[in-house]
Amino acid sequence: MPFITVKNIEGKTPEEKRVLVQKMTKLVSETFEVDPNLIFIFFEDLAKDNYGKQGELFSYLKE
Amino acid sequence: MPFITVKNIEGKTPEEKRVLVQKMTKLVSETFEVDPNLIFIFFEDLAKDNYGKQGELFSYLKE
Amino acid sequence: MPFITVKNIEGKTPEEKRVLVQKMTKLVSETFEVDPNLIFIFFEDLAKDNYGKQGELFSYLKE
Amino acid sequence: MPFITVKNIEGKTPEEKRVLVQKMTKLVSETFEVDPNLIFIFFEDLAKDNYGKQGELFSYLKE
Amino acid sequence: MPFITVKNIEGKTPEEKRVLVQKMTKLVSETFEVDPNLIFIFFEDLAKDNYGKQGELFSYLKE
Amino acid sequence: MPFITVKNIEGKTPEEKRVLVQKMTKLVSETFEVDPNLIFIFFEDLAKDNYGKQGELFSYLKE
C-alpha cells in the first residue's frame, strides 16, 4: 500500500518513468509513513486517439 | 469533472470515437449542468483475448 | 455482476487466460451464488516498463 | 459492451443519475451501434477530500 | 502480481469476501503459477443507485 | 494530464492527503515537465474488509 496508477498521454520513456517511480516512492513513503517496499506504481499510456477533452478527441486538438 | 472511461472491444475508429466524445460531452454537460471544458473522456480498447464472459474467453465465443 | 479485472505482467497466453476465465467464473458463481452468465472478466496486461515496485521500474529489477 | 465509468464529485441524486443512464445508453447504443442491453454504466462518487487539482485538495479550493 | 479487482453490487459480508479471497488466491496462484503472497485482491462495492444497465438505474429495475 | 489514482487503506486525514496532493503535483510537474494545473489526483480509500492479500482478508490479518 498504496497502489498508485499514473494515466498519461503516451510518450514518456522508460528512463523518465523510472525516475518518477524512484521519486514518487520516496515521497509517498515519507508523506504517508509507509514501507517503500509496499508501494506499487502502474503507468497507463493513453493514445491521443483514446482521450477526449473540451468536447474533442485529443488527436484533433491543436496542442 | 466528470471523468468518463469507456471500456469497449477494440475496433472503433478515431472518427467514431471523436463523434462519441462530441456527443457525450454535450449530453453530460447538459444533463449534469457542468462546463464541457471540465469533462474528460478516456477510451480503453479491450482485445478479444482480454475479455471473458459466460465462462469463456471472448475470442473463443461464436459472436 | 460481478465485474472482475485481472491486472498482470504481460506474457500470459490466450489459452492460459481462457483457463482462468473458465475456472474463475465457476468459482465466483459458486462462492457468491451468482449466474455465471452475469460474470465479466477483463485482463489488463502490464508492460515491465509500466510497473514500479520497491522504488524501481520492474524492467530494471533482477527478478 | 461497452462498460462506462462516470467518476464525479459526489452530490448527484439517483434521479439525475437515472436520467444520465437513460440518455447515455441511447447515445452510445446509436453512436457505436451496440445493443443497449449490453451497455453497463458505473458511477463513482468522489468526495471533495479525495480529489486534488491545481496542487490543492478540492475541499480547500474556493469553487 | 496479479492485482485483481472485484466490482460487485454491495451486500456481500466480510466472511463471504474472505472465502472468495482464499479460494481466488489459490486458483490464480495455481493457474498462473504465481506466488500466492504476490496476489492482491480489491473489492469495490457498487450501490444500486450507482449502477446502470439495460438503460435503467439498477435501483429502479425489478430484479 | 496526468491523472493519478492513489488507492490506499482508509484512515488518512484530509490534511495528510492535502500535503500529498501538494507534493505529488510538484514532483510530477517537475519530473514529467507538465503544467501543475493539468495534474489531477484521486484518492480511493480501501476498507480493510475490501482488501485481500496473502490469501487472507486484510481485516483478518494480524498487522
Side-chain angles (χ1 to χ4, degrees), chain B residues 1-2 5 9 13-15 17-18 20 30-31 34-35 38 40-41 45 51 53 56 58-59:
Chain B
M1 282 278 179
T5 302
I9 280 284
T13 65
E15 289 67 32
K17 290 177 183 174
R18 186 181 185 203
L20 190 66
E30 289 167 0
T31 309
V34 296
D35 176 350
L38 297 180
F40 297 87
I41 298 174
D45 295 332
Y51 175 42
K53 72 172 198 174
E56 182 54 282
F58 194 71
S59 51

Short mmCIF file of all heavy atoms in Angstrom, two decimals, chain B residues 1-2 5 9 13-15 17-18 20 30-31 34-35 38 40-41 45 51 53 56 58-59:
data_model
loop_
_atom_site.label_atom_id
_atom_site.label_comp_id
_atom_site.label_asym_id
_atom_site.label_seq_id
_atom_site.Cartn_x
_atom_site.Cartn_y
_atom_site.Cartn_z
N MET B 1 -14.46 17.76 -14.27
CA MET B 1 -15.44 16.75 -13.83
C MET B 1 -16.59 16.68 -14.82
O MET B 1 -16.94 17.70 -15.37
CB MET B 1 -16.01 17.17 -12.47
CG MET B 1 -15.09 16.90 -11.33
SD MET B 1 -15.24 15.19 -10.84
CE MET B 1 -14.04 15.20 -9.51
N PRO B 2 -17.18 15.52 -14.98
CA PRO B 2 -16.64 14.25 -14.55
C PRO B 2 -15.59 13.67 -15.49
O PRO B 2 -15.34 14.23 -16.55
CB PRO B 2 -17.89 13.36 -14.55
CG PRO B 2 -18.78 13.95 -15.59
CD PRO B 2 -18.50 15.42 -15.57
N THR B 5 -14.75 6.92 -18.38
CA THR B 5 -13.95 5.90 -19.05
C THR B 5 -14.89 4.98 -19.84
O THR B 5 -15.87 4.50 -19.29
CB THR B 5 -13.16 5.08 -18.02
OG1 THR B 5 -12.33 5.96 -17.26
CG2 THR B 5 -12.29 4.03 -18.71
N ILE B 9 -14.72 -3.32 -26.68
CA ILE B 9 -13.92 -4.21 -27.55
C ILE B 9 -13.21 -3.35 -28.60
O ILE B 9 -13.80 -2.42 -29.15
CB ILE B 9 -14.86 -5.23 -28.24
CG1 ILE B 9 -15.19 -6.38 -27.29
CG2 ILE B 9 -14.29 -5.77 -29.52
CD1 ILE B 9 -14.08 -7.40 -27.09
N THR B 13 -13.01 3.23 -34.78
CA THR B 13 -12.03 4.12 -35.42
C THR B 13 -11.94 5.44 -34.66
O THR B 13 -12.87 5.79 -33.90
CB THR B 13 -12.49 4.44 -36.86
OG1 THR B 13 -13.72 5.21 -36.76
CG2 THR B 13 -12.73 3.16 -37.66
N PRO B 14 -10.84 6.20 -34.88
CA PRO B 14 -10.76 7.53 -34.25
C PRO B 14 -11.98 8.40 -34.59
O PRO B 14 -12.47 9.15 -33.73
CB PRO B 14 -9.47 8.11 -34.82
CG PRO B 14 -8.61 6.90 -35.10
CD PRO B 14 -9.60 5.85 -35.57
N GLU B 15 -12.47 8.27 -35.81
CA GLU B 15 -13.61 9.13 -36.19
C GLU B 15 -14.85 8.75 -35.35
O GLU B 15 -15.59 9.63 -34.89
CB GLU B 15 -13.94 8.94 -37.69
CG GLU B 15 -12.90 9.55 -38.63
CD GLU B 15 -11.57 8.80 -38.53
OE1 GLU B 15 -11.59 7.55 -38.27
OE2 GLU B 15 -10.50 9.45 -38.65
N LYS B 17 -14.83 7.41 -32.42
CA LYS B 17 -14.58 7.86 -31.04
C LYS B 17 -14.77 9.38 -30.94
O LYS B 17 -15.30 9.90 -29.95
CB LYS B 17 -13.17 7.47 -30.60
CG LYS B 17 -12.99 5.97 -30.39
CD LYS B 17 -11.57 5.61 -30.03
CE LYS B 17 -11.37 4.11 -29.89
NZ LYS B 17 -9.96 3.73 -29.67
N ARG B 18 -14.36 10.06 -31.99
CA ARG B 18 -14.49 11.52 -32.00
C ARG B 18 -15.96 11.94 -31.89
O ARG B 18 -16.33 12.81 -31.12
CB ARG B 18 -13.88 12.09 -33.28
CG ARG B 18 -13.83 13.60 -33.31
CD ARG B 18 -13.26 14.13 -34.60
NE ARG B 18 -13.11 15.59 -34.53
CZ ARG B 18 -13.06 16.39 -35.59
NH1 ARG B 18 -13.13 15.87 -36.82
NH2 ARG B 18 -12.93 17.70 -35.44
N LEU B 20 -18.36 10.21 -30.63
CA LEU B 20 -18.86 9.89 -29.28
C LEU B 20 -18.39 10.95 -28.27
O LEU B 20 -19.17 11.39 -27.43
CB LEU B 20 -18.41 8.50 -28.82
CG LEU B 20 -19.10 8.03 -27.53
CD1 LEU B 20 -20.60 7.82 -27.75
CD2 LEU B 20 -18.47 6.76 -26.98
N GLU B 30 -25.03 18.98 -20.41
CA GLU B 30 -26.42 19.44 -20.25
C GLU B 30 -27.11 18.71 -19.10
O GLU B 30 -27.80 19.32 -18.28
CB GLU B 30 -27.19 19.22 -21.55
CG GLU B 30 -26.74 20.17 -22.67
CD GLU B 30 -27.25 19.76 -24.05
OE1 GLU B 30 -27.97 18.72 -24.14
OE2 GLU B 30 -26.88 20.43 -25.04
N THR B 31 -26.93 17.41 -19.01
CA THR B 31 -27.65 16.61 -18.01
C THR B 31 -27.15 16.90 -16.59
O THR B 31 -27.92 17.02 -15.65
CB THR B 31 -27.50 15.10 -18.32
OG1 THR B 31 -27.83 14.86 -19.68
CG2 THR B 31 -28.38 14.27 -17.42
N VAL B 34 -22.66 20.82 -16.14
CA VAL B 34 -21.24 21.10 -15.88
C VAL B 34 -20.61 21.70 -17.14
O VAL B 34 -21.11 21.53 -18.25
CB VAL B 34 -20.46 19.83 -15.47
CG1 VAL B 34 -20.96 19.28 -14.15
CG2 VAL B 34 -20.51 18.78 -16.57
N ASP B 35 -19.54 22.42 -16.92
CA ASP B 35 -18.80 23.07 -18.02
C ASP B 35 -18.20 21.99 -18.93
O ASP B 35 -17.42 21.15 -18.46
CB ASP B 35 -17.70 23.95 -17.39
CG ASP B 35 -16.79 24.60 -18.43
OD1 ASP B 35 -16.88 24.23 -19.63
OD2 ASP B 35 -15.97 25.45 -18.03
N LEU B 38 -14.64 20.92 -18.68
CA LEU B 38 -14.17 20.19 -17.49
C LEU B 38 -14.51 18.70 -17.57
O LEU B 38 -14.41 17.97 -16.59
CB LEU B 38 -14.77 20.81 -16.22
CG LEU B 38 -14.38 22.26 -15.94
CD1 LEU B 38 -15.05 22.74 -14.66
CD2 LEU B 38 -12.87 22.42 -15.85
N PHE B 40 -13.72 15.01 -19.13
CA PHE B 40 -12.63 14.25 -19.72
C PHE B 40 -13.14 12.84 -20.04
O PHE B 40 -13.84 12.23 -19.23
CB PHE B 40 -11.46 14.15 -18.74
CG PHE B 40 -10.84 15.49 -18.40
CD1 PHE B 40 -11.36 16.27 -17.36
CD2 PHE B 40 -9.76 15.98 -19.11
CE1 PHE B 40 -10.80 17.51 -17.04
CE2 PHE B 40 -9.20 17.21 -18.81
CZ PHE B 40 -9.72 17.97 -17.77
N ILE B 41 -12.77 12.35 -21.20
CA ILE B 41 -13.22 11.03 -21.63
C ILE B 41 -12.01 10.18 -22.04
O ILE B 41 -11.15 10.64 -22.78
CB ILE B 41 -14.22 11.15 -22.80
CG1 ILE B 41 -15.47 11.93 -22.35
CG2 ILE B 41 -14.61 9.77 -23.33
CD1 ILE B 41 -16.47 12.24 -23.45
N ASP B 45 -9.42 0.23 -25.06
CA ASP B 45 -9.71 -0.77 -26.08
C ASP B 45 -9.38 -2.16 -25.54
O ASP B 45 -8.23 -2.42 -25.15
CB ASP B 45 -8.88 -0.49 -27.34
CG ASP B 45 -9.28 0.83 -27.98
OD1 ASP B 45 -10.45 1.23 -27.82
OD2 ASP B 45 -8.42 1.46 -28.64
N TYR B 51 -10.88 -10.47 -22.68
CA TYR B 51 -12.25 -10.27 -22.20
C TYR B 51 -12.94 -11.62 -22.07
O TYR B 51 -12.95 -12.42 -23.01
CB TYR B 51 -12.99 -9.38 -23.21
CG TYR B 51 -14.45 -9.16 -22.95
CD1 TYR B 51 -14.95 -8.92 -21.68
CD2 TYR B 51 -15.35 -9.17 -24.02
CE1 TYR B 51 -16.31 -8.70 -21.46
CE2 TYR B 51 -16.72 -8.95 -23.81
CZ TYR B 51 -17.18 -8.71 -22.52
OH TYR B 51 -18.53 -8.51 -22.31
N LYS B 53 -16.54 -13.64 -20.80
CA LYS B 53 -17.93 -13.57 -20.35
C LYS B 53 -18.59 -14.94 -20.58
O LYS B 53 -18.13 -15.71 -21.42
CB LYS B 53 -18.70 -12.46 -21.06
CG LYS B 53 -19.06 -12.66 -22.51
CD LYS B 53 -20.00 -11.52 -22.98
CE LYS B 53 -20.73 -11.85 -24.25
NZ LYS B 53 -21.73 -10.83 -24.64
N GLU B 56 -16.31 -17.94 -20.76
CA GLU B 56 -15.46 -18.23 -21.91
C GLU B 56 -14.69 -16.98 -22.32
O GLU B 56 -15.15 -15.85 -22.11
CB GLU B 56 -16.34 -18.71 -23.09
CG GLU B 56 -15.60 -19.10 -24.33
CD GLU B 56 -14.51 -20.15 -24.11
OE1 GLU B 56 -13.43 -19.77 -23.64
OE2 GLU B 56 -14.74 -21.34 -24.36
N PHE B 58 -13.64 -14.26 -24.84
CA PHE B 58 -14.47 -13.69 -25.92
C PHE B 58 -14.00 -14.17 -27.29
O PHE B 58 -14.81 -14.44 -28.17
CB PHE B 58 -14.46 -12.17 -25.83
CG PHE B 58 -15.51 -11.49 -26.67
CD1 PHE B 58 -16.85 -11.56 -26.31
CD2 PHE B 58 -15.16 -10.80 -27.82
CE1 PHE B 58 -17.84 -10.95 -27.08
CE2 PHE B 58 -16.14 -10.19 -28.60
CZ PHE B 58 -17.47 -10.26 -28.23
N SER B 59 -12.68 -14.30 -27.45
CA SER B 59 -12.13 -14.71 -28.77
C SER B 59 -12.53 -16.14 -29.12
O SER B 59 -12.42 -16.56 -30.26
CB SER B 59 -10.61 -14.57 -28.75
OG SER B 59 -10.07 -15.24 -27.61
#
